[in-house]
Amino acid sequence: MSDEKPPQLVDYFVVAGLTDASRPLEDETQQQRPARPSEPITDVAVIIRSQGEEVPHGFTCIETTTSGHPVDLNAGLLNNPQMFICYKRGRDKLPLIELGVHYEGKDRPKPGYTILDTTPYSRSANLNSGGPGHQRTFLVYRRAAEPQGHNALGVTDICLIMPSKGESTPHTFCRVDKNLNTSMWGPALFLCYKIAMAKANMLVYEAGLLGRYPEQDSESFPLPESVPVFCLPMGATIESWPADTKYPLPVFSTFVLTGASGDKVYGAAIQFHEAFALERLSEKQRLRLGLLSVVDRRPIGGRSVQTRKSICVLSHWPFFDVFRKFLMFIYRYSISGPHVLPLETHISHFMHNVPFPSPQRPRILVQMSPYDNLLLCQPVSSPLPLSGASFLTLLQNLGADNAVTLLVAVLTEQKLLIHSLRPDVLTSVGEALVSMIFPLRWQCPYIPLCPLALADVLSAPVPFVVGIHSSYFDLHEPPKDVIFVDLDTNNIFQSEERKLLSPRALPRRPCKVLLASLHSLSQQLHEMYNKPVEEASLEFLLTDYDLVYGRRKQLELEIRAAFLRFMACLLKGYRSFLQPIAPTPPEKSRETASLFLLQGFLKSRDRAYQKFYGQLLRTQLFTQFIEDCSFASDRYTCLEFFDSCVDKVQVELEKPEDVPLMELDDSHGSEHTVFIMPPEEPTAPDGSELPASYCYDGFPTLRPELLEPAQDLLMAQLCQARSSAPSSPAPRRTKQEMKVAQRVAQKYFGVPDMWAKCLLGHCYGLWFIYLPTHVRAAPSKVRALQLAYEVLRKMETHKVVLPDEVCYRILMQLCGQYGEPVLSVRVLLEMKRAGIVPNTITYGYYNKAVLESKWPASTQGGRLRWAKLRNVVLGAAQFRQPLRQRQRQAELQEPPAPPRPRATLQRQTTWAGRSLRDPPAAPQLVKSGSLSFPRAETTTLEAGVGQMLRALGAPEPPRVRDTAPASAEGSLSDVSFATDESERADEGGAPGGGRREAESGGTPRRGLAAKLQQLLSPGKRPSPRHAAEGHGGPRDGGGTEQRDRDLPQRRSPMDTLLHPRERPESTASESSVSLGSEFDFSETSLGSHKAAEPPGDVVQEPPAVEVLLSSCSRCQGCGSLVYDEEVMAGWTSDDSNLNTTCPFCDRTFVPFLSIEILDFQQAPSGAEDGSVPAPAAQGPVLSDRHRCLALDDTEPEPGPPPGLCNGCEERAARGPPRRQERVAFAYLSPLVLRKELESLVENEGSECLAQAALVDSHPILYWNLLWYFQRLGLPSNLPRLLLGSQHVAAPPQAQPPDAATTVGVRLLWDVLVPEPDSVPPLYVLWRFHSNVPGRLQAWQQREHPFSLAFLEAVLRHVGLSEVHKAIALFLDTPPAHGSPRHTQRSIYREILFLMLAALGREHTDIAAFDKKYKSAYAKLAGSLGKEELRRRRAQPPSSKAIDCRKSFGATLEC
């Protein structure tokens, strides 16, 4: 099936029958079995020879058993009456269809049965007439109700067996399990009979193709050549009937075709008879059909000639009931008439205009004629593979005990031959047999309905599951080493050559639970399923469908779940014995012994069942199962579902678990029904009806000109092709993973800290879904992958709740895609450290990455050699440092300082190599009770070098980028992830990159090299002052005086503590989130490529486009402003619910993201020099000494330049933006956003995330993704997409946006635009009173009751830990004239923002303030009451909101 089109209901319509090229299937020279009876048995009788009764005329007496032993029904009695059973054949009466034995007084007479109580001579027919004390026993029979045609089923043979003589029931015979000899003497005697079709005068030929539609093969699925053979499995026949014989009813059959790739195609066919022209027969054929006399070749009258045909539909979907109704309608249409419309119109209408059911339209009601309709329903949503299995039919025909016996046979790969006289039952049972062993897959030949032409497969020396019509045994001898399963008699026949394991060899408790469940379900099935199903009317189809078929669906599901539980118990713990492919895998890594610990798994099972497990482990079933589990395959969804079932079951229980393994998934269904009307009848030009002109003598040859193409507009709308490009399964969650994530969210919804971590886990899941797009666009794939790996490590460090393994799985898939097997191994180790057992999907992608990727050579490469050289040089420098320190102290005449702890050298252990580029983190003051996570230790070689340099007293190298100082929790910018080659490629590939490095002092790598050279040459090392004088002039032929004047002045570290932090100006896409978020990816550009990075110490130009985002939303119920962490706390665990709960009025509302886009792009000036400096050459680490020594002039800035409080900056110098726009979109929970993002990637592919059309076509997804990625400081190219959207003016002269065009993103805590009647918040008033320019000037003219003295009093109370007085002061302040009674912000929020504005973020401990405010609230609640404080919005935030702020970071801008 194609991925670009919706599923098609029917692929082909086929007509099969006798063609001129058909070859005979019965060769005259072949040795055939004895001729089968030509007539059925119509009467039975009992005679008593001791009374002188003779065998009646036309009857046959049964005098011996099957082995030749004499038969006497009363043998052993003193007065032996010598009773015998006789039977008569013929066609003068309706045939017998069943025989039985009746015990008088013990059994109730069955309806429809006739008791044979007298002999033909009017004596008692009691089979046990030895005396008055014996049980009276009679024969009973049932006759056919009405004539069924020439080939009707009936009793064709009767025999008697004596088990005491070693006799058993003959093959294909039914045994009556009641002893005919109930006396104390004599052997037990049982009656057996055979039901078959009594046929004579018949020629059998191989079926051929008579017609098909469409005539051209589909590219994805060409019509198989063997389809006609499966339509008529017993061949196309020519039969001679008596002239007055009634036509039999059509016979429905189903079959399955399996392609080379394992895809199944389902066929549904009906077989019927029609007249055959006598002139087409040769003299030899007429002789065999009995139409000519043998002696004089004279015609024999009173006979008619018939042939057997078939019509069939092929589909990828097992809608057998629907197809049966459609084919029966077509057949009845062909034998009735005349009709206005041709037969071809109805065929093409059904194939083209009936859509496939979907969740949006789960029911399709097709009205084929005024009296014929059918209901097409959506298949049951199940994680199990789709099949045509009917477990109800399996249990109904075999029973519980035989079903378990066949389960053993299939698990041990035996030769199974299923046969029945009902061809439609064969496919249902065969599919059930290969489905009950899920998750194992049958790998050997499988033909659920085997044609007579392919019967040679029964002699194959391999295991097979084959179904065949029982009449096959009338023509051929059955094989000797095959297990026969007779569905008509519910018997299993085993040969002596191949004995089957007993069900006792199965694990006892799981088998006991399985048998108990099947017996209970079989009883329910017997009570319900025996009721006849009447033809459904239109009203019945629409109103009572669920009532009638719902219970059958449920029973089918329960039977399948019983087998599923047994298989889960059987393979419990198998994942513990899977062996991951080791680094540098051997050639035989795909063998089962290399992938699975067979002996370990066998030893873990009970010794009593090791014989069965030993056979199971040697089967192809288990071998293929291990391969599917070890490598990424198309069965990942099914195997992941099975793993979840294994986790649920408990082997030691003797009853099923309370939690069902399978449930009917109706969550996505609807009651919508689509009506498909029959094709319209044409009318004459005057509007009158056309005469009925289409009448058929037999099924016609299809005429292509009458087969109309699809013209129905409804079908065009329903089956419109999707422009989908489904991505690989790695970024997607399976249905089982979605259910688990939903349960985890529901579990943690009531736990504040876990709810915050759950939301955070889904946010990281969003980023990892985006990761393939980010890696594709990254100039260095290796750096991007290692960055993602470090994100995983940080997530594990911070105990983020990951509801699934998608993060690990995506990274493993990318490692395999970009050839990084070592990193894939590290990811697997991280999973194990985190206690996560990889499921089948993740495990498969790991093995694929390890097996298919190219591993690095075992010899040491240049990177390792350079790493060793760096360690040697640094070691030598470390040893020489004490000498220089003593010399410097002697020069300064100072007492020697105590030695500082020295950092140890770190060994290079990774192939990728660690970079020396990143500088060590600047020392910081860590606030007590900070909301940030503890800082992780820097493990890179560079950090060790930085510690060495500080210990040695050498000045640290300058930073290239003017990034914000690392927070207390650290950031990933302190760690380098790239190899040497990738860095050189990145730095050399950027236009003008070399010149910028040369002009600004080079990279930190070169700075470290300069320090090392200075340490190695102490005598030649110039002082910092001389270095400044010697190298402060022109460098590389260019002057830098102007740039030196533009550099910011140095400040001491204490200066930075007295000013709030400013947004980092170096990244192309700026984000204020890095100030307090979990990670600070200042090394990686968040919005543009590396080419946009500025020189090291040069102040970058402001971004050309600036975006302001705020999640602060106004409650529609009470008008309060609800801030980000409060919105997060109010979200629910439902991934379809967009609402949050207001913390003040408890009403639900949809929060919004407010966006303001400022476009500062200007037309290019003609005076600007557009030349790009040539990149400087890149040399080794220790080269270019002159340039490296010049780096000593500049000391690193300990912090960012001073800025305004809470991120406010002066924008007057920039002038007004060229374009300004404000928009707002729904603010989605990470759970909702992830579901929508997965749907988008599923339908449109991950490529859409890299296109600028995403901003305009899916704005809600885009802005929410941008918000979360910036909130957590995760790198992405999403800001750059804004340049190509309709929100940003096109560049002048229609030029594409330059790579250096930057997009700045700022996340604000408060609203972007104040409400018209709102009171200015306290922090804004503080800025007004302090003459600090703010972002919004509209508040200056608003009336408010808060003076500067009031603000200072509030701050004074808070500073003296008297928060309750600050709250009381706020409550007692009367509102100004004309202002609203209540402010929009809570008192907590007013005081908190005022503290941030007045004291700065560095001097505000929010966690400590929360504790004080909560204590003050409890104190005031005793006097004022909680209800009053709540009404005045004075309550503190909930613990869930506080935990959300701790997890996501608290440093948004005001």
Coordinates of all heavy atoms in Angstrom, one line a residue, residues 758-790:
C758 N 7.6 16.6 35.2 CA 6.9 16.0 34.1 C 6.8 16.9 33.0 O 7.0 16.6 31.8 CB 5.6 15.4 34.6 SG 4.6 14.6 33.4
L759 N 6.3 18.2 33.3 CA 6.2 19.2 32.2 C 7.6 19.4 31.5 O 7.7 19.6 30.3 CB 5.7 20.5 32.7 CG 4.2 20.4 33.2 CD1 3.8 21.8 33.8 CD2 3.3 20.1 32.1
L760 N 8.6 19.5 32.4 CA 10.0 19.7 31.9 C 10.4 18.6 31.0 O 11.0 18.8 29.9 CB 10.9 19.9 33.0 CG 12.3 20.5 32.7 CD1 12.2 21.9 32.1 CD2 13.2 20.5 34.0
G761 N 10.1 17.3 31.3 CA 10.4 16.2 30.5 C 9.8 16.3 29.1 O 10.4 15.9 28.1
H762 N 8.5 16.7 29.1 CA 7.9 16.8 27.8 C 8.5 18.0 27.0 O 8.5 17.9 25.7 CB 6.4 17.1 28.0 CG 5.6 15.8 28.3 ND1 5.2 14.9 27.3 CD2 5.2 15.3 29.5 CE1 4.6 13.9 27.9 NE2 4.5 14.1 29.2
C763 N 9.0 19.0 27.6 CA 9.6 20.1 26.9 C 10.9 19.6 26.3 O 11.2 19.9 25.1 CB 10.0 21.2 27.9 SG 8.5 22.2 28.4
Y764 N 11.7 18.8 27.0 CA 12.9 18.2 26.4 C 12.5 17.2 25.3 O 13.2 17.1 24.3 CB 13.7 17.6 27.4 CG 14.5 18.6 28.3 CD1 14.2 18.7 29.6 CD2 15.4 19.4 27.7 CE1 14.9 19.6 30.4 CE2 16.1 20.3 28.5 CZ 15.9 20.4 29.8 OH 16.5 21.3 30.6
G765 N 11.4 16.5 25.4 CA 10.9 15.7 24.4 C 10.6 16.5 23.1 O 10.9 16.0 22.0
L766 N 10.1 17.7 23.3 CA 9.8 18.5 22.1 C 11.1 18.9 21.4 O 11.2 18.9 20.2 CB 9.1 19.8 22.6 CG 7.7 19.7 23.1 CD1 7.2 21.0 23.7 CD2 6.8 19.3 21.9
W767 N 12.2 19.2 22.2 CA 13.4 19.6 21.6 C 14.1 18.4 20.8 O 14.7 18.6 19.8 CB 14.4 20.2 22.6 CG 15.6 20.7 22.0 CD1 15.8 21.9 21.3 CD2 16.9 20.1 22.0 NE1 17.1 22.0 20.9 CE2 17.8 20.9 21.3 CE3 17.4 18.9 22.6 CZ2 19.1 20.6 21.2 CZ3 18.7 18.6 22.4 CH2 19.6 19.4 21.7
F768 N 14.0 17.2 21.4 CA 14.6 16.1 20.7 C 13.8 15.7 19.5 O 14.4 15.1 18.6 CB 14.7 14.9 21.7 CG 15.9 15.0 22.6 CD1 15.9 15.6 23.8 CD2 17.1 14.4 22.1 CE1 17.0 15.6 24.6 CE2 18.2 14.5 22.9 CZ 18.2 15.1 24.1
I769 N 12.5 16.0 19.5 CA 11.8 15.7 18.2 C 12.3 16.7 17.1 O 12.4 16.4 16.0 CB 10.2 15.9 18.4 CG1 9.7 14.8 19.4 CG2 9.5 15.9 17.1 CD1 8.3 14.9 19.7
Y770 N 12.6 17.9 17.6 CA 13.2 18.9 16.7 C 14.6 18.7 16.3 O 15.2 19.2 15.4 CB 13.0 20.3 17.3 CG 13.6 21.4 16.5 CD1 13.0 22.0 15.4 CD2 14.9 21.9 16.9 CE1 13.6 23.0 14.6 CE2 15.5 23.0 16.2 CZ 14.8 23.5 15.0 OH 15.4 24.5 14.3
L771 N 15.3 17.8 17.1 CA 16.8 17.6 17.0 C 17.2 17.2 15.6 O 18.2 17.7 15.1 CB 17.2 16.6 18.0 CG 18.7 16.4 18.0 CD1 19.5 17.6 18.3 CD2 19.1 15.3 19.1
P772 N 16.5 16.3 14.9 CA 17.0 15.9 13.5 C 17.0 17.1 12.6 O 17.9 17.3 11.8 CB 15.9 14.9 13.1 CG 15.4 14.3 14.3 CD 15.4 15.4 15.3
T773 N 16.0 18.0 12.7 CA 16.0 19.2 11.9 C 17.2 20.1 12.3 O 17.9 20.7 11.4 CB 14.7 20.0 12.1 OG1 13.6 19.1 11.8 CG2 14.6 21.2 11.2
H774 N 17.5 20.2 13.6 CA 18.6 21.1 14.0 C 20.0 20.5 13.6 O 20.8 21.2 13.1 CB 18.6 21.2 15.5 CG 19.7 22.0 16.1 ND1 19.8 23.4 15.9 CD2 20.8 21.7 16.8 CE1 20.9 23.9 16.5 NE2 21.5 22.8 17.1
V775 N 20.1 19.2 13.6 CA 21.4 18.6 13.2 C 21.6 18.7 11.7 O 22.7 18.9 11.2 CB 21.4 17.1 13.7 CG1 22.6 16.4 13.1 CG2 21.3 17.0 15.2
R776 N 20.5 18.6 11.0 CA 20.6 18.7 9.5 C 21.1 20.1 9.1 O 21.9 20.2 8.2 CB 19.2 18.5 8.9 CG 19.1 17.2 8.1 CD 17.9 17.1 7.3 NE 16.7 17.7 7.8 CZ 15.8 17.0 8.5 NH1 16.0 15.8 8.8 NH2 14.7 17.7 9.0
A777 N 20.7 21.1 9.9 CA 21.1 22.5 9.5 C 22.4 22.9 10.2 O 23.0 23.9 9.8 CB 20.0 23.5 10.0
A778 N 22.9 22.1 11.1 CA 24.1 22.5 11.8 C 25.3 22.3 10.9 O 25.4 21.3 10.2 CB 24.3 21.6 13.1
P779 N 26.3 23.2 10.9 CA 27.5 23.0 10.1 C 28.3 21.9 10.6 O 29.0 21.2 9.8 CB 28.2 24.4 10.2 CG 27.7 25.0 11.5 CD 26.3 24.5 11.6
S780 N 28.3 21.6 11.9 CA 29.1 20.5 12.4 C 28.1 19.5 13.0 O 27.5 19.8 14.1 CB 30.1 21.0 13.5 OG 30.7 19.9 14.1
K781 N 27.9 18.4 12.4 CA 27.0 17.3 12.9 C 27.5 16.7 14.2 O 26.7 16.5 15.1 CB 26.8 16.2 11.8 CG 26.6 16.7 10.4 CD 25.4 17.6 10.2 CE 25.3 18.0 8.8 NZ 24.2 19.0 8.6
V782 N 28.8 16.5 14.3 CA 29.3 15.9 15.5 C 29.1 16.8 16.7 O 28.7 16.3 17.7 CB 30.8 15.6 15.3 CG1 31.4 14.9 16.5 CG2 31.0 14.7 14.1
R783 N 29.3 18.1 16.5 CA 29.1 19.0 17.6 C 27.7 19.0 18.1 O 27.4 19.0 19.3 CB 29.6 20.4 17.2 CG 29.3 21.4 18.3 CD 29.7 22.8 17.9 NE 31.1 22.9 17.5 CZ 31.6 24.0 17.0 NH1 30.9 25.1 16.8 NH2 32.9 24.1 16.7
A784 N 26.8 19.0 17.1 CA 25.4 19.0 17.5 C 25.0 17.8 18.2 O 24.2 17.8 19.1 CB 24.5 19.2 16.2
L785 N 25.5 16.6 17.8 CA 25.1 15.4 18.4 C 25.7 15.3 19.8 O 25.0 14.9 20.8 CB 25.7 14.2 17.6 CG 25.0 13.9 16.2 CD1 25.6 12.8 15.5 CD2 23.5 13.7 16.4
Q786 N 26.9 15.8 20.0 CA 27.5 15.8 21.3 C 26.8 16.8 22.2 O 26.7 16.6 23.5 CB 29.0 16.0 21.2 CG 29.8 14.9 20.6 CD 31.3 15.2 20.5 OE1 31.7 16.3 20.6 NE2 32.0 14.2 20.3
L787 N 26.3 17.8 21.7 CA 25.6 18.8 22.4 C 24.3 18.1 23.0 O 23.9 18.3 24.1 CB 25.2 20.0 21.6 CG 24.3 21.1 22.2 CD1 25.0 21.8 23.3 CD2 23.9 22.1 21.2
A788 N 23.6 17.4 22.1 CA 22.4 16.7 22.5 C 22.7 15.6 23.6 O 22.0 15.4 24.5 CB 21.7 16.0 21.3
Y789 N 23.9 15.0 23.5 CA 24.3 14.0 24.5 C 24.5 14.7 25.9 O 24.1 14.2 26.9 CB 25.6 13.4 24.1 CG 26.2 12.5 25.1 CD1 25.6 11.3 25.5 CD2 27.4 12.9 25.8 CE1 26.2 10.5 26.5 CE2 28.0 12.1 26.7 CZ 27.4 10.9 27.1 OH 28.0 10.2 28.1
E790 N 25.1 15.9 25.9 CA 25.3 16.6 27.1 C 23.9 17.1 27.7 O 23.7 17.1 28.9 CB 26.2 17.8 26.9 CG 27.6 17.5 26.6 CD 28.3 16.7 27.7 OE1 27.9 16.9 28.9 OE2 29.2 15.9 27.4

